Amino acid sequence: MLVHGSLTILSINYYHIASNGVPSFFHHHPHLLAVVFTDATVPPDVYWQKLLPNITMPKALEHILPIESQEDVGYGGSKHVWWWHYPYPPPYHPRHAPFIYNYAATQDQLQDDPNVALFFLEKDLQPSKKMNLHFTKTTSEAKFLPRHVADTIPFSSNKLSDILNRFSVEPGSAAALEMKKTVEECEVPAMEGEDKYCATSLERMVDYTTSKLGNNVKVLSTEVSKEESPQQEFTISPEVKEIVGDKRVVCHGQNYPYAVFHCHALHTTKAYLVPMTGADGTKVKAAAVCHTDTSKWNPGHLAFQVLKVKPGTVPICHFLPEDQIVWTSK
């Protein structure tokens, strides 16, 4: 039994795959974490509605909410159970962190397809403009843990051995290296003029963003009409809309066994909602962020090499992958 604040956690049970490849619990799911609470804690989606009653949760967040059920334990009481599913072992999704701006471009980034418009100039956000794009999810889409659970799990580079052991990840494996990278990137100090925070639960993301923007916010993410959209040429529609607001927070999903978002508050940005249509008919409502002051970025950053511009000279923009979120004050 664990006691966390005013909350008593009766059990945290990890169900692993047996040596014969068959899970030792509920063979339908490759890996399960069951967390049983004695108290009627507030589920993450209810917490959202409490703090942001008039704001629709983006699909990118909605579909990674933990699965909750309620079971009768007799004597008029009940227990709350969150089933949290993650692949075993956690998948390795290589990523090159192009949206961390104090890093120089890696060799992998420089070898990526130069025809894909990962970064572009603000002047290119014009109706009928054509761009070669590939809208993807950048993470394994692991689900959120409720805050009361996430807060009991270490999230620190000096606790990495404990973290890997908890999730049965082999030290030195690709998954372990990706988890290590996620934690270490979260510990990198913010750039000048930036405030950053890694949210290990939906509740902590809401708390952080509302502390920076207040509760009167807009929340956007990229939405694609087709589940699997190939790389193709997209044409920007006439209804490009700038999202007016003084301050913004952008949250990037990370590769981790449960949902973690690397959020940073940026005050020298613009946000746009950009409708477009692909060559195969795919409809996209893309969230785009334009950085108006790049003078503090690493001069070797990928954006400068792709666009052939220098730090601090022109606004640099990028579309958000499907699993990333932009918050803006109204």
Side-chain angles (χ1 to χ4, degrees), residues 6-7 23 29 63 104-105 124 166 172 176 179 182 281 286 301 317:
S6 61
L7 177 70
H29 306 295
H63 82 265
D124 293 328
R166 285 175 184 246
M179 290 170 65
T182 289
H301 190 274
C317 308

Side-chain angles (χ1 to χ4, degrees), residues 134-199:
H134 190 195
F135 288 99
T136 62
K137 298 178 175 67
T138 59
T139 69
S140 60
E141 296 186 85
K143 291 189 179 297
F144 279 116
L145 285 178
R147 172 167 50 188
H148 296 96
V149 183
D151 286 354
T152 68
I153 302 173
F155 190 81
S156 168
S157 56
N158 60 17
K159 297 285 187 180
L160 188 62
S161 294
D162 183 15
I163 297 170
L164 296 179
N165 183 59
R166 285 175 184 246
F167 296 106
S168 302
V169 177
E170 187 70 26
S173 65
L177 294 175
E178 191 69 7
M179 290 170 65
K180 178 176 183 286
K181 183 178 180 180
T182 289
V183 174
E184 290 180 344
E185 286 178 356
C186 286
E187 294 175 339
V188 172
M191 295 187 306
E192 183 181 343
E194 175 194 42
D195 188 278
K196 55 176 283 188
Y197 177 74
C198 278

